[in-house]
Amino acid sequence: MSLTELPQLWNVLRGEMSLVGPRPESPDRVKRYSEWLQQRLSIKPGMTGLAQVHGLRDQNSSEEKTRFDLQYILNPSAVTDLSILLQTLWTLGMRLCQYRVAAPNDHGFKLFDELTPEFAEETLQGAHRSQSSAD
């Protein structure tokens, strides 16, 4: 569900990040940036970005993500920002539907004590794969 991203809202409120923009990467990765890759550092990082709505995550190369990030930087638009935010919300909604498990309670979700170890392991592995490199 990318719940690990929620604390970044505080960074947005403080003005250190924006809702949409290039995702921050680890300082170790940034140290090895070429001049071309450093262009993605020219604007505030965002909680979500064009690369993320195209399915690129931390396992993808910085070069792949930079292509989308530079496309975003070179063509700023409120419509693009809104589109990226809506696509992100759609993706989160779809993830919520995937993790929804039929159970005999009022909300349609399994309670923590009803979860099987297999479900918990699968959920943790999915969260690890989708966690951004900035976390």
Side-chain angles (χ1 to χ4, degrees), residues 4 10 16 23-24 26 30 35-36 39-40 42-43 67 76 84 88-90 94 107 109 115 122-123 125-126 129 132:
T4 58
W10 177 247
E16 296 172 359
R23 290 287 300 139
S26 69
V30 171
E35 191 173 316
W36 182 73
Q39 294 178 73
R40 52 190 314 261
S42 66
I43 65 170
R67 289 185 222 293
I84 291 170
T88 300
L89 290 174
W90 174 260
M94 294 307 292
H107 306 292
F109 291 97
L115 294 176
E122 179 183 319
T123 303
Q125 286 177 354
R129 281 191 304 272
S132 76

Side-chain angles (χ1 to χ4, degrees), residues 1-39:
M1 286 297 302
S2 295
L3 293 177
T4 58
E5 306 295 326
L6 287 179
Q8 292 180 4
L9 279 175
W10 177 247
N11 293 332
V12 171
L13 294 173
R14 290 175 34 192
E16 296 172 359
M17 287 182 75
S18 62
L19 289 175
V20 179
R23 290 287 300 139
E25 291 201 285
S26 69
D28 186 52
R29 208 172 200 182
V30 171
K31 279 192 260 182
R32 295 181 299 220
Y33 271 9
S34 67
E35 191 173 316
W36 182 73
L37 291 172
Q38 288 179 10
Q39 294 178 73

Side-chain angles (χ1 to χ4, degrees), residues 1-134:
M1 286 297 302
S2 295
L3 293 177
T4 58
E5 306 295 326
L6 287 179
Q8 292 180 4
L9 279 175
W10 177 247
N11 293 332
V12 171
L13 294 173
R14 290 175 34 192
E16 296 172 359
M17 287 182 75
S18 62
L19 289 175
V20 179
R23 290 287 300 139
E25 291 201 285
S26 69
D28 186 52
R29 208 172 200 182
V30 171
K31 279 192 260 182
R32 295 181 299 220
Y33 271 9
S34 67
E35 191 173 316
W36 182 73
L37 291 172
Q38 288 179 10
Q39 294 178 73
R40 52 190 314 261
L41 304 175
S42 66
I43 65 170
K44 285 183 188 177
M47 288 184 63
T48 187
L50 195 56
Q52 286 68 41
V53 298
H54 281 90
L56 301 182
R57 305 294 266 182
D58 63 324
Q59 67 269 18
N60 296 96
S61 73
S62 294
E63 289 83 11
E64 290 176 290
K65 291 182 280 187
T66 299
R67 289 185 222 293
F68 285 106
D69 291 338
L70 291 180
Q71 180 182 343
Y72 173 79
I73 291 168
L74 295 174
N75 300 300
S77 159
V79 172
T80 301
D81 285 2
L82 182 60
S83 174
I84 291 170
L85 287 171
L86 291 174
Q87 289 177 66
T88 300
L89 290 174
W90 174 260
T91 300
L92 290 174
M94 294 307 292
R95 284 186 192 168
L96 179 62
C97 290
Q98 283 180 335
Y99 291 121
R100 209 175 170 139
V101 180
N105 66 34
D106 295 340
H107 306 292
F109 291 97
K110 280 196 172 189
L111 301 174
F112 286 113
D113 58 348
E114 297 172 327
L115 294 176
T116 64
E118 294 81 15
F119 180 81
E121 179 66 26
E122 179 183 319
T123 303
L124 288 174
Q125 286 177 354
H128 178 70
R129 281 191 304 272
S130 67
Q131 187 174 6
S132 76
S133 58

